[in-house]
Structure formats: C-alpha cells, structure tokens
Amino acid sequence: MKRSVNVFAPATVANVVCGYDVLGFAVNAPGDEVIMRIKDEPGVKITKISGDEGRLPYDPAKNTVSLSVQHYLNHIGRNDVGVEIELYKKMPIGSGLGSSSASTVAGLFAINTLMDSPLTRMDLVPFAMKGEEMACGYGHADNVAPALLGGFVLVRSYDPLDIIQLPYPEELYCSIVFPQIDVPTRDARQIIRTKVPLKDAVVQWGNVAGLVSGLYTKDIDLIARSMKDVIVEPVRSILIPDFYRLREIALENGALTFGISGSGPSVFTFTRNAEDASRINKKLQEHFLWLDTESIAYQSPINANGPIILD
Ligand code: HSE
C-alpha cells in the first residue's frame, strides 16, 4: 500500500453554453496538484497551500479538499486513517474554470489511490459534489464529473444522480481566456432568473439535444450551431466587459463557437485546431488589454484522462 501520492486534476469548462449545470468537459491545462501522505495519527489535515494568495482556508472543515476527503473516509468506514494534504493551486480561483473542483478531485483521487481504490471514479462524484456545495452553495456536478472522468460529460439527472460520458470529435480544440476580474460562482448563480418562459425553454432544449447529437455524430457544424444559450448567458454576460464584441472577434478569427466558461469570467471557444485557438486567444487578450484588463490564456484539446498520478 502506498504511503504517499502526488495527483494532478484538470480544469473544466462547465455548462458548454447551453447546458447550465448539466454539461462539462475537461482540458489538459490548467489544473491543480495535491500531495497526500498517510500519517499515524487519525484525522485529515491541510499542511500547505500554495498559489492561492492566502485565499483558501486551512481549517479541514472549511476547505473543499479536506472536507470531501473526510466524507470519503466516513463512507468507507476508515476514520482511523490520518492524512496530511499539500495543495498546489496552479490555476486561478474564481475564474469559471472549475478551480475548487480541480483541487477537490485531486484530493479524492489521491485518498482513493492510497486506500487501494475501493471506489470507482464515478463513485467519487458525489463526494466531490460535497466540495462544490461548500464552495458555492450548490453541489453541481458539471465541473467535478468531467474532472474525475475526463472527456465530455452529461449530468442527465441529479436525483437520482445519472452521469453519462459522451463521445466527442477528437479534433475539437478549446481556447480559453481568463480576464482577471473576480466573479464568485455563488454570486453568478444568484443573478440567474429562476423562472424561464416556455418559448425560451423550447429553444434551449433544442440546442442541448442538438449539441449532444452533434457530439455523438461528430458533426462539428451541428455542435457549433447548437451552442446558443437564451437563458443564462444574457444575464451573466453583463459580468464580462464587452462580451458581445469579444464574441465577434472570436468568430471573425475562425472560432466555431464562443461562450462563458462555467460561471465566468473566463470565456472559451471551440476551434478545429491549435493554430486557430492560439490566434483567437491572442486577439481576445489584445481586446482585454484595450479594456485595461489583464488576462491569462490557455489552449487545449479535450482531456480524456481526468486525474493522473504524477509520481
Ligand atoms: N454550472 C455551474 C454554474 C458551473 O454555471 O454556476 C460553475 O462553474
């Protein structure tokens, strides 16, 4: 049995424009790392956090990593186990890229590995959702499920939980720009309308079905024309400066689609290759600079692996 493990878990793009709380995919970078060590004394401790600018709590009951690890140990009946956790944040907090999810998933994958993997990755999803519940008030699964399983994921139902792994065209490439403005997920969830007119619902479920259908048939044009959101994006776009101009710039430069990543403020596009992704990121970053906003860009194919062991 291993006494120590180092795990990387990936960032994720949740919602994928039309699938609020039900669709998400993982990317290769950025992501977070956790080093976990077995200790003789029972209990879950956080001993180090780096890269968070002092924003994350060390209190094991308040940190999403330790909290979900504790839930996991309770579930498998191993409260006799003691672990020390080092969390290396390698991605921005409050970016809309599933930052808390990446940390939580890295922690859960680490403890499950140290316990000789009694649970499957799918079994770990509800424990990771506990972390999301603490981070933003609702245990949504559209970040944690793709971070754990890799690839593209549909949360078909929350009660009972029913998660479906979707196929996708391998050539699909993703570009992401994070403008450095803070949009806490909790706040971005509170501004959404809770009642939806039937005519908007009709448009939305047509698009969700179109997107899923396009993923199965690997029809990139269908994927692109289905990624439209008439419910959440019109409200959340106000949190991102010049959102509609940014969309024009992305589309003028060859993006297949453009939208908000998770709860924002990161924006993302799908492209057919790395060259398009890199050109679009450059143009979007130039526009953010013109708006006096610093930004960070990432580009990646869809990540098929989810968490990986680094040592
Ligand atoms: N589905 C969640 C939301 C993702 O949009 O609030 C949070 O990143």
Side-chain angles (χ1 to χ4, degrees):
M1 190 165 141
K2 273 174 172 285
R3 299 277 302 173
S4 146
V5 70
N6 182 0
V7 172
F8 166 87
T12 40
V13 171
N15 303 334
V16 201
V17 180
C18 53
Y20 177 70
D21 276 359
V22 301
L23 286 171
F25 64 87
V27 291
N28 287 346
D32 282 343
E33 282 177 41
V34 158
I35 297 179
M36 192 176 287
R37 291 188 195 90
I38 298 278
K39 290 281 148 190
D40 293 336
E41 197 184 317
V44 179
K45 279 197 194 117
I46 308 258
T47 51
K48 180 172 177 180
I49 306 177
S50 76
D52 69 325
E53 292 164 353
R55 292 172 64 180
L56 298 179
Y58 276 78
D59 179 346
K62 295 198 175 131
N63 186 295
T64 64
V65 183
S66 39
L67 176 103
S68 54
V69 167
Q70 188 62 65
H71 276 290
Y72 168 93
L73 288 172
N74 295 347
H75 175 83
I76 64 163
R78 291 299 309 271
N79 281 315
D80 58 311
V81 169
V83 288
E84 268 182 14
I85 298 169
E86 293 179 8
L87 170 59
Y88 295 89
K89 289 296 306 171
K90 303 214 162 167
M91 58 182 290
I93 296 170
S95 55
L97 295 171
S99 172
S100 56
S101 155
S103 305
T104 304
V105 164
L108 280 169
F109 195 75
I111 187 69
N112 197 45
T113 303
L114 293 176
M115 297 293 104
D116 283 340
S117 303
L119 300 193
T120 65
R121 290 171 186 236
M122 190 68 92
D123 294 336
L124 295 177
V125 173
F127 301 99
M129 289 167 69
K130 292 274 183 205
E132 294 297 78
E133 192 178 337
M134 188 170 68
C136 76
Y138 181 70
H140 58 93
D142 52 340
N143 290 115
V144 293
L148 269 165
L149 303 170
F152 220 118
V153 167
L154 165 70
V155 187
R156 204 276 310 161
S157 158
Y158 274 87
D159 187 16
L161 192 61
D162 186 6
I163 289 168
I164 319 289
Q165 289 183 272
L166 301 173
Y168 53 87
E170 305 262 306
E171 69 267 37
L172 219 47
Y173 219 86
C174 173
S175 83
I176 297 171
V177 178
F178 164 51
Q180 291 182 311
I181 43 182
D182 210 9
V183 175
T185 298
R186 191 180 287 270
D187 299 352
R189 292 183 76 84
Q190 275 165 1
I191 61 171
I192 297 170
R193 291 175 294 166
T194 51
K195 292 212 166 84
V196 174
L198 185 61
K199 71 172 181 24
D200 288 352
V202 170
V203 173
Q204 199 82 2
W205 57 52
N207 280 326
V208 174
L211 172 52
V212 171
S213 174
L215 290 168
Y216 272 95
T217 55
K218 307 200 191 272
D219 180 341
I220 288 184
D221 292 330
L222 176 57
I223 292 170
R225 69 176 185 275
S226 302
M227 284 172 60
K228 301 208 173 89
D229 175 8
V230 295
I231 296 174
V232 177
E233 183 183 280
V235 183
R236 281 187 172 167
S237 56
I238 59 171
L239 302 172
I240 299 163
D242 239 1
F243 178 81
Y244 292 100
R245 179 62 197 134
L246 290 163
R247 163 169 289 157
E248 282 172 6
I249 292 169
L251 297 178
E252 282 161 15
N253 282 281
L256 298 164
T257 61
F258 173 86
I260 303 171
S261 173
S263 56
S266 290
V267 290
F268 81 103
T269 75
F270 274 141
T271 66
R272 286 178 195 269
N273 53 55
E275 294 71 41
D276 286 357
S278 138
R279 185 179 57 255
I280 292 161
N281 273 354
K282 187 164 167 282
K283 295 286 179 188
L284 292 176
Q285 285 200 284
E286 279 169 12
H287 194 70
F288 275 121
L289 213 51
W290 183 75
L291 294 167
D292 274 336
T293 304
E294 295 289 328
S295 66
I296 305 173
Y298 306 96
Q299 61 183 71
S300 168
I302 293 175
N303 167 315
N305 304 316
I308 50 167
I309 295 173
L310 295 175
D311 49 4

